[in-house]
Amino acid sequence: MTTWSNWVGNQSFAPRQVVATADEESVQEQVRAAVAGSYRVRTFGTGHSFTPIVETDVLLDTTALRGIVEIDEPARRVRALPKTTIGDFGKPLWERGLALANQGDIDTQSIAGAVATATHGSGRRLPNLSATVTGARLVDGTGEIVVIDASHPDLPALQASIGLMGIMTELEIEVVPAYELAARTDVLPFAEMLETFADDIDRYRHYGFFWMPTDASAELYNLSGAGADDCVLKRYLEVAPGTDPADLPEHHRLGPAFEIYPMVYDPNFHEVEYFLPLDQARAILSEMRQLMFEWLPLSVYPLEIRVVAADEAWISPNYQRENLVVSISGEPGTDYWTYLHACDQLFAEFAGRPHWGKIHFMTASRLAGLFPRYDEFVQTRKRFDPKGVFLNDHTQALFA
Ligand SMILES: Cc1cc2nc3c(=O)[nH]c(=O)nc-3n(C[C@H](O)[C@H](O)[C@H](O)COP(=O)(O)OP(=O)(O)OC[C@H]3O[C@@H](n4cnc5c(N)ncnc54)[C@H](O)[C@@H]3O)c2cc1C
């Protein structure tokens, strides 16, 4: 029996079959067979989600569907197959004077998986990847091909849809003129970070930080020079290609954006992440800091803080709201669920919305209160997948 596991190993299941589907027709065949046989079918990206959003009966392996299909320079759009990784876009776009507008902490996710969960980077003016999707081809829950373009009324439902509307076989993404980043990393005490927070999120294209609840946190993440209650700030300025590094002495790395964004992580943590109103950032940061101090040493993992612009995708956590993003990591196998529930309660007070790929404690009724277009999303999901072949236990409880 084959077992599928995600990257970190906190999710695994035994599908009754894994089927390699190298083209759209074979995806259609498999979806039709699932409808006829009353079983479920899904696909996976690179397994970087921490939530049970891949689990299914028949798992489609679309590894062959990888690569850029077309770069349209004048329109600033790129079409790509679903398994193309974020990293795959870097060089080819750069060579055509283009770039992804933003990237997250790693670049190994597939574009389809990243878009399905509204994967984001950090920057007040920069929305998540889903918001940059201008079109897609997908096989819906009846096995039919649906083509969605920028003017299609279902685009805001599809942009972030956790694979619930169909198996995407191609995506179109809006890109921007190529840019370089000058990266600056500083260690600042929490109070100093707070003083410059409001200015910094406006000044830097990319802004984020790790906050250390204990001295051990810095060691754990190789963030040298930081101690308890310090922040390691990552602030990236956008600069014109060819800028002389001597003009930016306080910035220690300068280069094409796609080379500056990605970091490397070992699969030794799992993560909870919520999106909270940016205009309440000071209160949220202060309360979260208190909570983590109270729960030492369970909170030895640093807190990661980022900011994301608002967008229009119906179940994007940034739907019509710019957010502060709070990520809490922990060691797999550690029993810190009581602590995580305490964090969830705090986030609920601020109308915190979940990251679909990171651990959360949502129910359907909570989602209905947090996402103004939740009901329309559920209706659209049902229209695309009337038999529910793309649902699983986790998503059925949230979106049936
Ligand atoms: C080390 C690490 C760093 C991370 N950094 C960030 C970060 O900086 N910012 C952030 O927002 N998130 C981050 N994440 C979360 C990650 O970006 C998301 O979980 C993302 O979904 C992973 O992409 P994937 O290709 O692994 O997709 P998977 O986890 O494999 O799948 C995600 C979902 O997409 C669906 N799917 C995949 N392919 C298709 C398709 N062709 N059609 C329809 N549905 C499809 C799957 O069924 C599943 O529901 C990180 C995760 C890890 C482990």
Side-chain angles (χ1 to χ4, degrees):
M1 192 196 304
T2 311
T3 301
W4 183 89
S5 293
N6 66 346
W7 174 80
V8 76
N10 73 319
Q11 301 293 340
S12 60
F13 68 100
R16 60 167 90 155
Q17 210 187 345
V18 179
V19 182
T21 43
D23 53 38
E24 211 167 52
E25 292 71 36
S26 43
V27 174
Q28 287 183 283
E29 252 172 53
Q30 289 305 320
V31 172
R32 285 182 182 138
V35 175
S38 300
Y39 58 81
R40 290 169 167 185
V41 62
R42 287 185 74 80
T43 187
F44 59 98
T46 59
H48 280 78
S49 298
F50 298 90
T51 40
I53 55 173
V54 170
E55 195 167 343
T56 188
D57 297 325
V58 168
L59 185 62
L60 305 187
D61 180 345
T62 56
T63 302
L65 296 177
R66 177 174 177 178
I68 290 181
V69 176
E70 191 196 6
I71 299 173
D72 182 341
E73 285 169 46
R76 290 189 193 147
R77 291 198 178 163
V78 53
R79 288 195 292 125
L81 298 175
K83 279 279 197 177
T84 311
T85 66
I86 306 289
D88 289 343
F89 287 89
K91 260 224 160 101
L93 285 181
W94 180 260
E95 285 165 2
R96 306 282 286 272
L98 297 168
L100 295 177
N102 201 8
Q103 292 181 209
D105 282 352
I106 55 165
D107 67 357
T108 49
Q109 309 99 318
S110 69
I111 187 67
V115 158
T117 58
T119 289
H120 61 91
S122 191
R124 188 177 192 179
R125 290 179 294 278
L126 301 171
N128 61 38
L129 269 168
S130 301
T132 69
V133 173
T134 50
R137 282 177 74 87
L138 68 150
V139 176
D140 74 8
T142 67
E144 290 301 307
I145 290 167
V146 182
V147 180
I148 291 191
D149 64 14
S151 60
H152 198 290
D154 292 321
L155 182 67
L158 177 75
Q159 279 173 320
S161 47
I162 327 173
L164 294 173
M165 286 169 61
I167 311 277
M168 293 183 278
T169 52
E170 192 179 295
L171 291 95
E172 186 188 69
I173 307 284
E174 191 168 25
V175 291
V176 299
Y179 55 101
E180 288 200 6
L181 288 175
R184 169 178 185 166
T185 305
D186 298 289
V187 176
L188 287 185
F190 181 83
E192 274 182 49
M193 176 283 300
L194 261 194
E195 262 172 48
T196 56
F197 178 82
D199 289 342
D200 279 355
I201 59 173
D202 280 337
R203 175 157 181 238
Y204 292 93
R205 181 183 179 95
H206 170 104
Y207 171 93
F209 66 86
F210 289 98
W211 173 74
M212 316 291 143
T214 82
D215 287 335
S217 308
E219 203 179 308
L220 193 69
Y221 269 33
N222 287 325
L223 298 168
S224 55
D229 212 15
D230 276 342
C231 302
V232 176
L233 265 87
K234 297 189 304 170
R235 294 176 287 192
Y236 302 172
L237 272 183
E238 182 177 337
V239 294
T243 298
D244 185 348
D247 292 338
L248 296 158
E250 73 281 19
H251 294 76
H252 65 110
R253 277 192 308 150
L254 187 69
F258 73 92
E259 289 178 0
I260 300 289
Y261 286 124
M263 304 197 290
V264 176
Y265 286 94
D266 292 330
N268 57 4
F269 68 96
H270 47 59
E271 204 173 344
V272 167
E273 187 172 293
Y274 280 64
F275 296 71
L276 304 132
L278 186 60
D279 58 8
Q280 295 176 66
R282 279 185 89 93
I284 294 160
L285 288 169
S286 302
E287 292 207 30
M288 193 59 219
R289 174 169 166 268
Q290 281 315 317
L291 193 71
M292 287 186 80
F293 277 146
E294 276 166 34
W295 282 86
L296 286 172
L298 285 183
S299 55
V300 65
Y301 276 71
L303 202 68
E304 186 176 11
I305 302 293
R306 290 176 280 180
V307 289
V308 184
D311 63 53
E312 293 297 326
W314 292 351
I315 62 157
S316 157
N318 307 295
Y319 177 73
Q320 296 194 344
R321 188 174 88 189
E322 59 175 353
N323 282 308
L324 181 81
V325 189
V326 179
S327 312
I328 305 162
S329 293
E331 195 181 347
T334 310
D335 181 10
Y336 63 128
W337 294 104
T338 321
Y339 162 64
L340 294 181
H341 279 289
C343 296
D344 174 63
Q345 246 174 29
L346 171 66
F347 298 147
E349 287 169 27
F350 290 95
R353 294 174 178 165
H355 187 307
W356 301 116
K358 313 232 178 140
I359 295 164
H360 59 76
F361 303 101
M362 288 294 140
T363 59
S365 62
R366 278 181 76 176
L367 293 181
L370 289 168
F371 292 89
R373 310 295 286 268
Y374 171 81
D375 287 340
E376 280 154 282
F377 177 77
V378 172
Q379 291 315 315
T380 308
R381 181 202 73 67
K382 287 181 178 163
R383 182 158 45 82
F384 273 71
D385 181 19
K387 300 282 183 209
V389 290
F390 301 131
L391 289 170
N392 63 18
D393 290 352
H394 174 75
T395 52
Q396 175 141 12
L398 300 176
F399 299 106

Short mmCIF file of all heavy atoms in Angstrom, two decimals, residues 339-369:
data_model
loop_
_atom_site.label_atom_id
_atom_site.label_comp_id
_atom_site.label_asym_id
_atom_site.label_seq_id
_atom_site.Cartn_x
_atom_site.Cartn_y
_atom_site.Cartn_z
N TYR A 339 -1.61 25.42 24.43
CA TYR A 339 -1.02 26.73 24.13
C TYR A 339 -1.53 27.26 22.78
O TYR A 339 -1.94 28.42 22.66
CB TYR A 339 0.51 26.59 24.13
CG TYR A 339 1.22 27.71 23.44
CD1 TYR A 339 1.15 29.02 23.92
CD2 TYR A 339 1.99 27.46 22.30
CE1 TYR A 339 1.80 30.05 23.26
CE2 TYR A 339 2.64 28.48 21.65
CZ TYR A 339 2.54 29.77 22.13
OH TYR A 339 3.18 30.78 21.48
N LEU A 340 -1.58 26.37 21.78
CA LEU A 340 -2.06 26.81 20.46
C LEU A 340 -3.53 27.24 20.52
O LEU A 340 -3.93 28.19 19.85
CB LEU A 340 -1.86 25.71 19.42
CG LEU A 340 -0.40 25.37 19.10
CD1 LEU A 340 -0.32 24.29 18.03
CD2 LEU A 340 0.38 26.61 18.64
N HIS A 341 -4.32 26.54 21.33
CA HIS A 341 -5.73 26.94 21.47
C HIS A 341 -5.83 28.31 22.15
O HIS A 341 -6.71 29.10 21.81
CB HIS A 341 -6.52 25.87 22.25
CG HIS A 341 -6.94 24.72 21.38
ND1 HIS A 341 -7.92 24.84 20.42
CD2 HIS A 341 -6.49 23.45 21.31
CE1 HIS A 341 -8.05 23.68 19.79
NE2 HIS A 341 -7.19 22.82 20.30
N ALA A 342 -4.91 28.58 23.08
CA ALA A 342 -4.91 29.91 23.72
C ALA A 342 -4.59 30.98 22.68
O ALA A 342 -5.19 32.06 22.67
CB ALA A 342 -3.90 29.93 24.86
N CYS A 343 -3.65 30.68 21.78
CA CYS A 343 -3.32 31.63 20.70
C CYS A 343 -4.55 31.83 19.80
O CYS A 343 -4.90 32.95 19.44
CB CYS A 343 -2.16 31.12 19.85
SG CYS A 343 -0.62 30.97 20.74
N ASP A 344 -5.20 30.72 19.46
CA ASP A 344 -6.39 30.78 18.60
C ASP A 344 -7.47 31.66 19.22
O ASP A 344 -8.12 32.46 18.54
CB ASP A 344 -6.90 29.35 18.37
CG ASP A 344 -8.21 29.32 17.59
OD1 ASP A 344 -8.22 29.77 16.44
OD2 ASP A 344 -9.22 28.86 18.15
N GLN A 345 -7.62 31.53 20.55
CA GLN A 345 -8.63 32.35 21.25
C GLN A 345 -8.30 33.83 21.15
O GLN A 345 -9.16 34.68 20.91
CB GLN A 345 -8.65 31.97 22.72
CG GLN A 345 -9.95 31.33 23.12
CD GLN A 345 -9.88 30.82 24.55
OE1 GLN A 345 -9.14 31.35 25.38
NE2 GLN A 345 -10.64 29.79 24.81
N LEU A 346 -7.00 34.13 21.33
CA LEU A 346 -6.57 35.53 21.21
C LEU A 346 -6.84 36.04 19.79
O LEU A 346 -7.39 37.13 19.60
CB LEU A 346 -5.07 35.64 21.55
CG LEU A 346 -4.43 37.00 21.29
CD1 LEU A 346 -5.02 38.08 22.21
CD2 LEU A 346 -2.91 36.95 21.47
N PHE A 347 -6.48 35.23 18.79
CA PHE A 347 -6.68 35.66 17.40
C PHE A 347 -8.17 35.85 17.09
O PHE A 347 -8.54 36.72 16.32
CB PHE A 347 -6.07 34.65 16.43
CG PHE A 347 -4.58 34.48 16.57
CD1 PHE A 347 -3.97 33.26 16.33
CD2 PHE A 347 -3.78 35.55 16.96
CE1 PHE A 347 -2.59 33.10 16.46
CE2 PHE A 347 -2.41 35.41 17.09
CZ PHE A 347 -1.82 34.17 16.85
N ALA A 348 -9.01 35.00 17.71
CA ALA A 348 -10.46 35.11 17.46
C ALA A 348 -10.97 36.48 17.92
O ALA A 348 -11.85 37.06 17.29
CB ALA A 348 -11.20 33.99 18.18
N GLU A 349 -10.38 37.01 19.01
CA GLU A 349 -10.81 38.33 19.49
C GLU A 349 -10.54 39.43 18.46
O GLU A 349 -11.17 40.47 18.47
CB GLU A 349 -10.05 38.69 20.78
CG GLU A 349 -10.53 37.89 21.99
CD GLU A 349 -9.59 38.07 23.17
OE1 GLU A 349 -8.91 39.12 23.26
OE2 GLU A 349 -9.53 37.13 23.99
N PHE A 350 -9.56 39.18 17.58
CA PHE A 350 -9.22 40.17 16.55
C PHE A 350 -9.73 39.75 15.17
O PHE A 350 -9.23 40.22 14.15
CB PHE A 350 -7.70 40.35 16.50
CG PHE A 350 -7.12 41.03 17.71
CD1 PHE A 350 -6.62 40.29 18.77
CD2 PHE A 350 -7.11 42.42 17.80
CE1 PHE A 350 -6.09 40.92 19.89
CE2 PHE A 350 -6.58 43.05 18.92
CZ PHE A 350 -6.07 42.30 19.97
N ALA A 351 -10.72 38.86 15.13
CA ALA A 351 -11.25 38.37 13.85
C ALA A 351 -10.16 37.77 12.96
O ALA A 351 -10.09 38.03 11.76
CB ALA A 351 -12.01 39.48 13.10
N GLY A 352 -9.29 36.97 13.57
CA GLY A 352 -8.19 36.34 12.83
C GLY A 352 -8.70 35.33 11.81
O GLY A 352 -9.58 34.54 12.10
N ARG A 353 -8.14 35.41 10.61
CA ARG A 353 -8.49 34.46 9.55
C ARG A 353 -7.32 33.49 9.36
O ARG A 353 -6.17 33.87 9.52
CB ARG A 353 -8.75 35.21 8.24
CG ARG A 353 -9.98 36.12 8.29
CD ARG A 353 -10.04 36.93 7.00
NE ARG A 353 -11.19 37.81 6.91
CZ ARG A 353 -11.28 38.80 6.03
NH1 ARG A 353 -10.29 39.04 5.17
NH2 ARG A 353 -12.35 39.58 5.99
N PRO A 354 -7.62 32.24 8.96
CA PRO A 354 -6.56 31.22 8.88
C PRO A 354 -5.79 31.22 7.56
O PRO A 354 -6.29 31.67 6.54
CB PRO A 354 -7.36 29.92 8.98
CG PRO A 354 -8.65 30.26 8.27
CD PRO A 354 -8.95 31.70 8.61
N HIS A 355 -4.57 30.69 7.61
CA HIS A 355 -3.83 30.30 6.39
C HIS A 355 -4.29 28.88 6.09
O HIS A 355 -4.21 28.01 6.95
CB HIS A 355 -2.33 30.33 6.67
CG HIS A 355 -1.46 30.12 5.46
ND1 HIS A 355 -1.60 29.05 4.61
CD2 HIS A 355 -0.42 30.85 4.97
CE1 HIS A 355 -0.69 29.12 3.64
NE2 HIS A 355 0.03 30.21 3.83
N TRP A 356 -4.74 28.63 4.84
CA TRP A 356 -5.31 27.31 4.52
C TRP A 356 -4.28 26.20 4.56
O TRP A 356 -4.65 25.03 4.69
CB TRP A 356 -6.01 27.35 3.15
CG TRP A 356 -7.10 28.38 3.13
CD1 TRP A 356 -7.18 29.50 2.36
CD2 TRP A 356 -8.28 28.38 3.96
NE1 TRP A 356 -8.31 30.21 2.66
CE2 TRP A 356 -9.01 29.54 3.64
CE3 TRP A 356 -8.78 27.54 4.95
CZ2 TRP A 356 -10.22 29.87 4.25
CZ3 TRP A 356 -9.97 27.86 5.57
CH2 TRP A 356 -10.67 29.01 5.22
N GLY A 357 -3.01 26.55 4.44
CA GLY A 357 -1.97 25.52 4.45
C GLY A 357 -1.31 25.35 5.81
O GLY A 357 -0.38 24.54 5.94
N LYS A 358 -1.75 26.10 6.81
CA LYS A 358 -1.11 26.02 8.13
C LYS A 358 -2.17 25.66 9.17
O LYS A 358 -3.36 25.93 8.98
CB LYS A 358 -0.44 27.35 8.47
CG LYS A 358 0.41 27.89 7.31
CD LYS A 358 1.80 28.24 7.68
CE LYS A 358 2.55 28.72 6.44
NZ LYS A 358 3.42 29.83 6.71
N ILE A 359 -1.74 25.08 10.27
CA ILE A 359 -2.69 24.54 11.24
C ILE A 359 -3.60 25.66 11.77
O ILE A 359 -3.14 26.77 12.06
CB ILE A 359 -1.92 23.87 12.40
CG1 ILE A 359 -1.15 22.66 11.84
CG2 ILE A 359 -2.85 23.44 13.53
CD1 ILE A 359 -0.07 22.14 12.74
N HIS A 360 -4.90 25.35 11.86
CA HIS A 360 -5.86 26.32 12.40
C HIS A 360 -6.99 25.54 13.07
O HIS A 360 -7.03 24.30 13.00
CB HIS A 360 -6.40 27.24 11.29
CG HIS A 360 -7.07 26.50 10.17
ND1 HIS A 360 -8.35 25.97 10.28
CD2 HIS A 360 -6.65 26.18 8.92
CE1 HIS A 360 -8.67 25.38 9.14
NE2 HIS A 360 -7.66 25.48 8.30
N PHE A 361 -7.88 26.26 13.73
CA PHE A 361 -8.96 25.59 14.48
C PHE A 361 -10.32 26.09 14.03
O PHE A 361 -11.20 26.36 14.83
CB PHE A 361 -8.76 25.84 15.99
CG PHE A 361 -7.42 25.37 16.49
CD1 PHE A 361 -6.38 26.27 16.69
CD2 PHE A 361 -7.19 24.02 16.71
CE1 PHE A 361 -5.13 25.83 17.12
CE2 PHE A 361 -5.95 23.57 17.13
CZ PHE A 361 -4.92 24.48 17.34
N MET A 362 -10.49 26.21 12.72
CA MET A 362 -11.73 26.77 12.18
C MET A 362 -12.87 25.77 12.16
O MET A 362 -12.65 24.56 12.12
CB MET A 362 -11.48 27.27 10.75
CG MET A 362 -10.64 28.50 10.70
SD MET A 362 -11.51 29.91 11.43
CE MET A 362 -10.15 30.69 12.30
N THR A 363 -14.09 26.30 12.17
CA THR A 363 -15.30 25.52 11.91
C THR A 363 -16.05 26.27 10.81
O THR A 363 -15.75 27.45 10.55
CB THR A 363 -16.21 25.47 13.16
OG1 THR A 363 -16.55 26.82 13.50
CG2 THR A 363 -15.53 24.78 14.34
N ALA A 364 -17.06 25.62 10.23
CA ALA A 364 -17.82 26.28 9.16
C ALA A 364 -18.47 27.55 9.68
O ALA A 364 -18.47 28.59 9.01
CB ALA A 364 -18.86 25.32 8.60
N SER A 365 -19.00 27.53 10.91
CA SER A 365 -19.70 28.72 11.39
C SER A 365 -18.71 29.86 11.67
O SER A 365 -19.02 31.03 11.42
CB SER A 365 -20.57 28.41 12.62
OG SER A 365 -19.75 27.97 13.66
N ARG A 366 -17.51 29.53 12.12
CA ARG A 366 -16.51 30.60 12.29
C ARG A 366 -16.16 31.21 10.94
O ARG A 366 -16.07 32.43 10.80
CB ARG A 366 -15.24 30.05 12.94
CG ARG A 366 -15.33 29.94 14.45
CD ARG A 366 -14.03 29.41 15.04
NE ARG A 366 -12.96 30.41 15.08
CZ ARG A 366 -11.78 30.17 15.62
NH1 ARG A 366 -11.50 29.01 16.16
NH2 ARG A 366 -10.86 31.13 15.64
N LEU A 367 -15.97 30.36 9.95
CA LEU A 367 -15.59 30.87 8.62
C LEU A 367 -16.68 31.79 8.07
O LEU A 367 -16.38 32.83 7.48
CB LEU A 367 -15.35 29.72 7.65
CG LEU A 367 -14.14 28.83 7.94
CD1 LEU A 367 -14.01 27.75 6.88
CD2 LEU A 367 -12.85 29.65 8.00
N ALA A 368 -17.94 31.40 8.29
CA ALA A 368 -19.05 32.21 7.77
C ALA A 368 -19.01 33.61 8.39
O ALA A 368 -19.38 34.59 7.74
CB ALA A 368 -20.37 31.52 8.06
N GLY A 369 -18.56 33.71 9.62
CA GLY A 369 -18.47 35.01 10.28
C GLY A 369 -17.24 35.81 9.87
O GLY A 369 -17.21 37.03 10.01
#
